[in-house]
């Protein structure tokens, strides 16, 4: 009886061992691979700024203010020039000459101060416009990316500058760019622009010709006594 029990137990042990070995060697079922879809998109931020209606409008207004101030400064410079011509007709060393010379020096110094103050103010206004518009762009991109299930959005330039083989720095700059190539369907510039234009008070896009974009195109005062706004 004991021998029979021992024999049955041995058979069960052998069976369990074989089952375990079979389970270890049998390939496990793999889950189906999820459908692959792009999780990264690209956007031309420079183009977004150039075609953003509110950015165009605000920069046009800023340019008009700069031009008005330039005209005022030009008129002041002309008056100073006229005073300098009058000074030549006065007797050098006379009290009238000294008074006129002192007045010209004072007016010229005040004009330089006013120019510096206006330049700082205009640069701050321009920076504020860029910041506000960029914050609006980031919100539009974030909303679009969330709806589309995107993991990242990378900026790029759709119209890169021509590479001059005689300028090594330009060549190295182009080589060091992170984005080398992308499929055209990953570009979300158009839908983002469409959203921004719908949100803009004016839905009409005007040409950005003459708008001081980028910052290097700012209007520079015409009087030779004005410091450059670079």
């Amino acid at each position: 009886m004991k021998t029979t029990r021992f024999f049955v137990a041995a058979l069960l042990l052998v069976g369990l061992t074989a089952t375990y070995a079979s389970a270890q060697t049998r390939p496990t079922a793999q889950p189906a691979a999820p459908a692959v879809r792009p999780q990264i998109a690209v956007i031309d931020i420079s183009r977004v700024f150039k075609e953003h209606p509110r950015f165009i409008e605000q920069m046009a207004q800023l340019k008009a203010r700069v031009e008005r101030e330039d005209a005022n400064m030009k008129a002041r410079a002309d008056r100073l020039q006229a005073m300098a011509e009058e000074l030549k007709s006065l007797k050098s060393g006379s009290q009238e000459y000294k008074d006129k010379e002192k007045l010209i020096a004072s007016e010229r110094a005040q004009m330089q101060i006013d120019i510096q103050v206006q330049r700082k103010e205009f640069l701050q206004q321009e920076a504020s416009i860029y910041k506000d518009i960029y914050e609006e762009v980031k919100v539009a991109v974030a909303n679009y990316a969330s709806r589309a299930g995107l993991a990242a959005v990378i900026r790029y330039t759709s119209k890169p500058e021509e590479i001059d083989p005689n300028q090594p720095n330009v060549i190295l700059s182009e080589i060091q760019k992170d984005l080398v190539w992308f499929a055209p369907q990953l570009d979300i510039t158009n839908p983002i622009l469409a959203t921004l234009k719908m949100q803009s008070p004016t839905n009409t896009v005007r040409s950005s010709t003459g708008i001081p974009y980028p910052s290097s195109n700012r209007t520079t005062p015409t009087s030779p006594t004005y410091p450059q706004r670079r």
Side-chain angles (χ1 to χ4, degrees), residues 64-74 118 122 226:
R65 291 197 297 270
V66 170
E67 291 176 345
R68 286 195 299 269
E69 189 59 31
D70 285 348
N72 293 334
M73 291 298 176
K74 180 63 167 56
Q118 285 295 333
F122 287 140
Y226 290 7

Side-chain angles (χ1 to χ4, degrees), residues 161-179:
E161 297 180 1
E162 294 184 2
I163 300 178
D164 186 350
N166 297 319
Q167 297 185 11
N169 291 337
V170 176
I171 297 175
L172 289 176
S173 177
E174 184 68 22
I175 293 174
Q176 292 172 355
K177 287 183 178 180
D178 295 330
L179 188 61

